Amino acid sequence: MGALAACQPLPLAPLKLGLNPWVGYDPLVLARDRELLDPAQVKVVELASSSETLRHLRNGLLDAAALTLDETLRLADDGVDVRIVLLLSTSAGADVVMARPDITAPAALRGRSIAVERTTVGALMLQRLLQAGGLQPHEVHVRNLEASQHLAALRNGLVEAAVSYEPLAGALKAEGLRPVFDSRQMPGDIVDVLVVRAEVLDRRRPQVEAAVLGWRRGLSVLESHPQASAELLAAGSDLSPGDYLSTLKGLKFYGEQEGQALMSGQPRALGQQSQSLAVTLGFMGLIRTSPDWERLLDEHWVERLRTLEGAQP
């Protein structure tokens, strides 16, 4: 028996899935906290910022991560071999630029200091903000600070505005800051996706499938029991349950069929929808080559997603 036991393969460690504080990723947190996600299959790792999530993924400390599409395109452009395995949500107001009360419009930021996290979505939000205000980059003072540092910088007078997102923007609102620009003015630019390292998808597909099913279960609970879910999740987000529900209104979660349709096609539908985003990222010098959508969106995985569609949440 001892010899036979010694020959048994060791169980795989759980898939390490990283995410930063963002309401659009919370169905995964809810799935974990409500025990709808098998901890032996998937471990949800909460990190302080998207910058930290990207560092962990680049350094091999994570197998998968919830990211924005623009972050994913930049990661792939840098040579990190990842696959998009699920479309999660799109921002429709939940990404926001908060400013001191005397600043009432993007144009009023001329000559002011703005805190921006050194991420692709931060740079993209800044670009769209400047366009909305008719401003040139040299007309504002940009301070690169991680989103978790924005509140202290505003309190200390280091900056007068910040490119933020919920739930972190809730703390800025509580300090008396007000929104002057949000993602409703840049539809389709900020899309949340679940990415997995290519070799992980090849070798540990059942764990990736467990993560997808966990997302679906968490989202089902969030949508069917929003008040109870908000009371559970708001505690860790610096938002009241009411503010949490209001923030949810700034998001659109993808249904299964809609997400799969965007991941399919020749060429891929998501690539066509995101063409202006890719062009903007290239113009900003954030990516060097056009995205390889067929590589990022593997057709064999999309077919497998369709077979998972009937799985009960």
Side-chain angles (χ1 to χ4, degrees), residues 18 56 67 94 104 151 177 186 192 210 230 247 285:
H56 278 63
L67 300 173
T104 58
L151 179 57
L177 279 80
M186 42 191 292
D192 296 313
T247 301

PDB file of all heavy atoms in Angstrom, residues 18 56 67 94 104 151 177 186 192 210 230 247 285:
ATOM      1  N   GLY A  18      -5.916  36.478  -8.965  1.00  0.00           N
ATOM      2  CA  GLY A  18      -5.751  37.774  -8.315  1.00  0.00           C
ATOM      3  C   GLY A  18      -6.738  38.815  -8.805  1.00  0.00           C
ATOM      4  O   GLY A  18      -7.154  38.808  -9.972  1.00  0.00           O
ATOM      5  N   HIS A  56       2.187  40.852  -9.806  1.00  0.00           N
ATOM      6  CA  HIS A  56       2.122  39.455  -9.375  1.00  0.00           C
ATOM      7  C   HIS A  56       1.962  38.511 -10.570  1.00  0.00           C
ATOM      8  O   HIS A  56       2.554  37.433 -10.603  1.00  0.00           O
ATOM      9  CB  HIS A  56       0.967  39.264  -8.394  1.00  0.00           C
ATOM     10  CG  HIS A  56       1.286  39.646  -6.983  1.00  0.00           C
ATOM     11  ND1 HIS A  56       1.621  40.934  -6.618  1.00  0.00           N
ATOM     12  CD2 HIS A  56       1.331  38.916  -5.834  1.00  0.00           C
ATOM     13  CE1 HIS A  56       1.841  40.976  -5.308  1.00  0.00           C
ATOM     14  NE2 HIS A  56       1.678  39.766  -4.821  1.00  0.00           N
ATOM     15  N   LEU A  67      -8.708  41.614 -14.887  1.00  0.00           N
ATOM     16  CA  LEU A  67      -8.042  42.820 -15.374  1.00  0.00           C
ATOM     17  C   LEU A  67      -8.983  43.587 -16.297  1.00  0.00           C
ATOM     18  O   LEU A  67     -10.020  43.060 -16.715  1.00  0.00           O
ATOM     19  CB  LEU A  67      -6.776  42.465 -16.168  1.00  0.00           C
ATOM     20  CG  LEU A  67      -5.662  41.687 -15.463  1.00  0.00           C
ATOM     21  CD1 LEU A  67      -4.591  41.300 -16.482  1.00  0.00           C
ATOM     22  CD2 LEU A  67      -5.052  42.508 -14.336  1.00  0.00           C
ATOM     23  N   ALA A  94     -18.721  53.769 -13.442  1.00  0.00           N
ATOM     24  CA  ALA A  94     -18.071  53.396 -12.186  1.00  0.00           C
ATOM     25  C   ALA A  94     -16.607  53.828 -12.123  1.00  0.00           C
ATOM     26  O   ALA A  94     -16.027  53.885 -11.038  1.00  0.00           O
ATOM     27  CB  ALA A  94     -18.177  51.889 -11.961  1.00  0.00           C
ATOM     28  N   THR A 104     -15.289  72.166 -11.426  1.00  0.00           N
ATOM     29  CA  THR A 104     -16.619  71.675 -11.799  1.00  0.00           C
ATOM     30  C   THR A 104     -16.689  71.048 -13.188  1.00  0.00           C
ATOM     31  O   THR A 104     -17.739  70.527 -13.571  1.00  0.00           O
ATOM     32  CB  THR A 104     -17.642  72.825 -11.716  1.00  0.00           C
ATOM     33  OG1 THR A 104     -17.218  73.892 -12.583  1.00  0.00           O
ATOM     34  CG2 THR A 104     -17.749  73.351 -10.292  1.00  0.00           C
ATOM     35  N   LEU A 151      -6.152  59.310  -1.665  1.00  0.00           N
ATOM     36  CA  LEU A 151      -6.828  60.041  -0.595  1.00  0.00           C
ATOM     37  C   LEU A 151      -5.827  60.853   0.230  1.00  0.00           C
ATOM     38  O   LEU A 151      -6.059  62.045   0.504  1.00  0.00           O
ATOM     39  CB  LEU A 151      -7.596  59.069   0.296  1.00  0.00           C
ATOM     40  CG  LEU A 151      -8.348  59.696   1.477  1.00  0.00           C
ATOM     41  CD1 LEU A 151      -9.323  60.755   0.998  1.00  0.00           C
ATOM     42  CD2 LEU A 151      -9.081  58.614   2.267  1.00  0.00           C
ATOM     43  N   LEU A 177     -15.032  65.562  -2.256  1.00  0.00           N
ATOM     44  CA  LEU A 177     -14.699  65.708  -3.674  1.00  0.00           C
ATOM     45  C   LEU A 177     -15.923  65.373  -4.526  1.00  0.00           C
ATOM     46  O   LEU A 177     -16.837  64.682  -4.077  1.00  0.00           O
ATOM     47  CB  LEU A 177     -13.517  64.821  -4.042  1.00  0.00           C
ATOM     48  CG  LEU A 177     -12.155  65.418  -3.672  1.00  0.00           C
ATOM     49  CD1 LEU A 177     -11.851  65.214  -2.199  1.00  0.00           C
ATOM     50  CD2 LEU A 177     -11.043  64.782  -4.504  1.00  0.00           C
ATOM     51  N   MET A 186     -17.065  57.491 -22.229  1.00  0.00           N
ATOM     52  CA  MET A 186     -16.117  56.732 -23.049  1.00  0.00           C
ATOM     53  C   MET A 186     -16.610  55.285 -23.175  1.00  0.00           C
ATOM     54  O   MET A 186     -15.957  54.349 -22.739  1.00  0.00           O
ATOM     55  CB  MET A 186     -14.714  56.789 -22.438  1.00  0.00           C
ATOM     56  CG  MET A 186     -14.673  56.628 -20.934  1.00  0.00           C
ATOM     57  SD  MET A 186     -13.068  57.008 -20.182  1.00  0.00           S
ATOM     58  CE  MET A 186     -12.058  55.677 -20.793  1.00  0.00           C
ATOM     59  N   ASP A 192     -13.924  44.651 -18.412  1.00  0.00           N
ATOM     60  CA  ASP A 192     -13.256  43.762 -17.460  1.00  0.00           C
ATOM     61  C   ASP A 192     -13.249  42.336 -18.000  1.00  0.00           C
ATOM     62  O   ASP A 192     -14.273  41.847 -18.499  1.00  0.00           O
ATOM     63  CB  ASP A 192     -13.982  43.783 -16.118  1.00  0.00           C
ATOM     64  CG  ASP A 192     -13.941  45.151 -15.454  1.00  0.00           C
ATOM     65  OD1 ASP A 192     -12.846  45.739 -15.411  1.00  0.00           O
ATOM     66  OD2 ASP A 192     -14.989  45.631 -15.001  1.00  0.00           O
ATOM     67  N   ALA A 210     -13.565  25.732 -13.136  1.00  0.00           N
ATOM     68  CA  ALA A 210     -14.112  25.965 -11.792  1.00  0.00           C
ATOM     69  C   ALA A 210     -14.188  27.458 -11.491  1.00  0.00           C
ATOM     70  O   ALA A 210     -15.148  27.933 -10.863  1.00  0.00           O
ATOM     71  CB  ALA A 210     -13.255  25.251 -10.744  1.00  0.00           C
ATOM     72  N   ALA A 230     -25.042  43.339  -1.266  1.00  0.00           N
ATOM     73  CA  ALA A 230     -24.453  44.654  -0.994  1.00  0.00           C
ATOM     74  C   ALA A 230     -24.079  44.778   0.483  1.00  0.00           C
ATOM     75  O   ALA A 230     -23.027  45.329   0.825  1.00  0.00           O
ATOM     76  CB  ALA A 230     -25.415  45.761  -1.398  1.00  0.00           C
ATOM     77  N   THR A 247     -23.378  52.168  -7.098  1.00  0.00           N
ATOM     78  CA  THR A 247     -22.184  51.905  -7.902  1.00  0.00           C
ATOM     79  C   THR A 247     -22.446  50.801  -8.916  1.00  0.00           C
ATOM     80  O   THR A 247     -21.982  50.867 -10.061  1.00  0.00           O
ATOM     81  CB  THR A 247     -21.002  51.524  -6.993  1.00  0.00           C
ATOM     82  OG1 THR A 247     -20.747  52.597  -6.091  1.00  0.00           O
ATOM     83  CG2 THR A 247     -19.748  51.244  -7.805  1.00  0.00           C
ATOM     84  N   GLY A 285       1.447  55.228 -27.137  1.00  0.00           N
ATOM     85  CA  GLY A 285       2.710  54.536 -26.935  1.00  0.00           C
ATOM     86  C   GLY A 285       2.647  53.424 -25.906  1.00  0.00           C
ATOM     87  O   GLY A 285       3.683  52.949 -25.430  1.00  0.00           O
TER      88      GLY A 285
END
